[in-house]
Amino acid sequence: MGKFSKKKEGGTPAISTASLPDIVFMLLFFFMVATVMRESGEKKVQVNMPSADQVKKIEKKNLVTYIYVGKPIKKYQAKFGTAPRIQIDDAFADAKDVGPAFLKFKSTKREEEKPLLMTSIKADKDVGMGIINDIKEELRKVNALKINYSTKKGGVEANK
Amino acid sequence: MAKRKLQEINAGSMADIAFLLLIFFLVTTTMESNYGIRRKLPPPPAADTPPPPKIKKKNVLEININGQDQMLIEGDLAQDKDIKPLAIKFITNNGKDPNMSDNPQKAIISIKHTRETTYKKYISVYNELLAAYNEIRNKYARQKFGKPFDQLTEEQQKIVKDAYPQKIAESMPK
C-alpha cells in the first residue's frame, strides 16, 4: 500500500491567487470606463422627473445640452425663493439665456454633428408649463428643434 | 561592492491596491440611464409664412387642460386613461363617424394648456397620445410588413409614418 500513501502527502494544493490582480484590474478598467463624472458639477435645483413609458434612450450623450428646471435647493431658497428656476451648466439662468447657451454649445461641435444636436429638458414634475413653454420658444428662435423631455421609465399613473 | 542578487518586489499587495481603486470607481459610477420623450419643435415662424389653411373642426381633436390639471377632450371631462382609446378612435376613423377625422393624414390633435398646468400632466397627456400613435403604427406595420414598427427598415418606417403622421399641435393661450 505504500504506493498510495505517497499521494496523500501533499494534501490539497493551494489555489494560486496570482491571477487575482488581473481579474480585479479587468473589473477596475470596466468601471473606470463606465464612470461618468457627473456632467454638471452641482445641481442647484431640485428635479424629480415625471414618469412616461413611450420613451427612447439618448444615445449620443456628448451631443446633448441639458436644461434643468425646478425649485432651487434649500441652500439657495433664501436668495432665490421657491419659485421654479432654470439651471444651465452650473448657474441659474433665465429663459432668455437658453438660446445663447445652445449656440455656444453648438459652436464647439463639428459641422457634421450640428444637425444631431439635442436639448434635453430635465424638469421637475410640479413646475408649471409656462416656464417650459418659455424655454421652448427660445429654443425655436435659435433653431434648436430637437428636444427631449427627460422622464423616468414607468406608467403615467405615477404622475398623480 | 559585492554583487547582490536583485531582490524581487513583492507583488502580493497589488490586488489590494487594485481592489481599493475598484471600490472607488464602483461607488462613483452612476449608470445613468437617460430616457425621455422625443419631440421636434416647429421651426420659427418666418415673416412670409402663409396663413394656416382652414381646417375643418371635425379633423381636430381638441384637448384642453386648465391650471388645475383638469382636462376636457372635445368639451367633455376626461381622465388620462381615456385619451388613448379616444385618440385611436379619432385617428383611425376614416370618415365613418361624421364628427371625427376624415382620414389619418388630416387628423390633428391640438393640446391647449395654461401657464399653470403642471409639467407632469402635460407629460402624461403627451405620453398617452404617443402611445396611441405607436399602437396604430405598430398595427399597420404588422399588417403591411409583418413586423413591429421598430424592426422595420428606414424606408418602411417612412411608409408607415406617412400613412399615420403624428400631428400634434400645441398652444398656450396668453
Side-chain angles (χ1 to χ4, degrees):
Chain A
M1 292 299 276
K3 251 187 189 172
F4 297 102
S5 59
K6 243 187 189 172
K7 253 190 182 169
K8 278 180 188 163
E9 263 173 33
T12 37
I15 297 165
S16 164
T17 55
S19 57
L20 190 62
D22 299 346
I23 296 163
V24 174
F25 265 117
M26 205 172 68
L27 281 168
L28 174 63
F29 287 139
F30 170 73
F31 279 101
M32 274 176 76
V33 170
T35 300
V36 185
M37 297 288 172
R38 287 220 320 216
E39 78 265 350
S40 73
E42 192 190 9
K43 287 237 178 77
K44 295 190 172 180
V45 294
Q46 297 167 8
V47 175
N48 182 12
M49 293 186 288
S51 309
D53 47 20
Q54 307 295 316
V55 292
K56 283 184 185 149
K57 203 171 177 183
I58 297 180
E59 279 105 15
K60 299 203 169 81
K61 282 187 185 167
N62 58 333
L63 297 179
V64 180
T65 7
Y66 294 94
I67 297 172
Y68 298 88
V69 188
K71 265 195 226 170
I73 57 169
K74 277 251 161 55
K75 204 164 73 174
Y76 296 103
Q77 276 182 4
K79 208 170 162 193
F80 296 101
T82 54
R85 292 292 304 258
I86 300 168
Q87 182 192 340
I88 303 172
D89 294 332
D90 276 347
F92 284 113
D94 287 318
K96 65 173 167 35
D97 303 324
V98 169
F102 174 79
L103 293 177
K104 197 177 136 212
F105 181 71
K106 192 176 177 181
S107 66
T108 65
K109 295 293 162 196
R110 292 200 307 274
E111 204 55 50
E112 69 268 23
E113 288 174 338
K114 283 181 182 173
L116 302 173
L117 291 179
M118 192 158 52
T119 311
S120 182
I121 298 175
K122 291 194 172 199
D124 189 89
K125 60 183 183 179
D126 289 317
V127 302
M129 277 310 289
I131 197 165
I132 308 281
N133 225 56
D134 294 343
I135 295 171
K136 273 158 55 179
E137 283 303 315
E138 292 302 317
L139 289 174
R140 270 181 76 188
K141 280 184 203 161
V142 293
N143 254 310
L145 301 180
K146 278 176 92 169
I147 62 167
N148 174 69
Y149 301 114
S150 278
T151 61
K152 288 182 210 155
K153 234 179 163 183
V156 292
E157 301 81 33
N159 291 341
K160 283 285 170 303
Chain B
M1 240 188 161
K3 208 178 179 185
R4 209 186 288 172
K5 205 183 164 195
L6 201 67
Q7 232 170 19
E8 222 173 292
I9 297 166
N10 182 10
S13 54
M14 179 116 99
D16 299 348
I17 297 164
F19 261 122
L20 203 82
L21 282 167
L22 172 63
I23 287 159
F24 169 72
F25 279 101
L26 257 170
V27 170
T28 52
T29 301
T30 44
M31 296 277 177
E32 212 181 328
S33 51
N34 217 333
Y35 293 99
I37 293 179
R38 293 283 167 85
R39 176 88 179 107
K40 212 160 173 174
L41 295 175
D48 56 346
T49 315
K54 274 262 178 289
I55 297 163
K56 278 191 226 149
K57 206 182 165 295
K58 67 169 184 174
N59 280 328
V60 181
L61 184 73
E62 256 186 62
I63 300 178
N64 272 301
I65 313 168
N66 73 3
Q68 278 82 48
D69 284 356
Q70 287 156 334
M71 178 170 50
L72 289 180
I73 300 181
E74 293 279 300
D76 297 321
L77 204 61
Q79 303 301 321
D80 286 348
K81 61 176 175 4
D82 305 330
I83 301 172
K84 194 175 158 189
L86 255 170
I88 291 175
K89 209 173 144 204
F90 170 76
I91 297 161
T92 57
N93 182 51
N94 279 319
K96 260 179 275 161
D97 186 331
N99 294 320
M100 289 190 180
S101 70
D102 285 331
N103 58 48
Q105 285 82 26
K106 281 187 183 164
I108 295 172
I109 292 172
S110 147
I111 307 176
K112 280 192 185 135
H113 57 80
T114 67
R115 283 196 81 85
E116 287 76 32
T117 304
T118 61
Y119 182 61
K120 64 182 175 197
K121 183 70 183 177
Y122 172 79
I123 289 291
S124 303
V125 172
Y126 212 90
N127 186 64
E128 291 307 296
L129 288 177
L130 283 183
Y133 273 112
N134 286 345
E135 190 174 312
I136 294 169
R137 283 181 173 179
N138 265 331
K139 202 174 151 199
Y140 183 70
R142 279 228 172 76
Q143 259 173 24
K144 203 161 163 117
F145 302 107
K147 271 189 262 180
F149 183 72
D150 298 337
Q151 292 170 20
L152 299 181
T153 64
E154 230 160 81
E155 296 104 74
Q156 288 172 330
Q157 281 195 352
K158 199 175 171 301
I159 293 170
V160 177
K161 277 183 185 167
D162 287 343
Y164 291 101
Q166 253 177 35
K167 291 190 176 172
I168 302 176
E170 283 168 50
S171 58
M172 193 180 71
K174 289 277 172 316

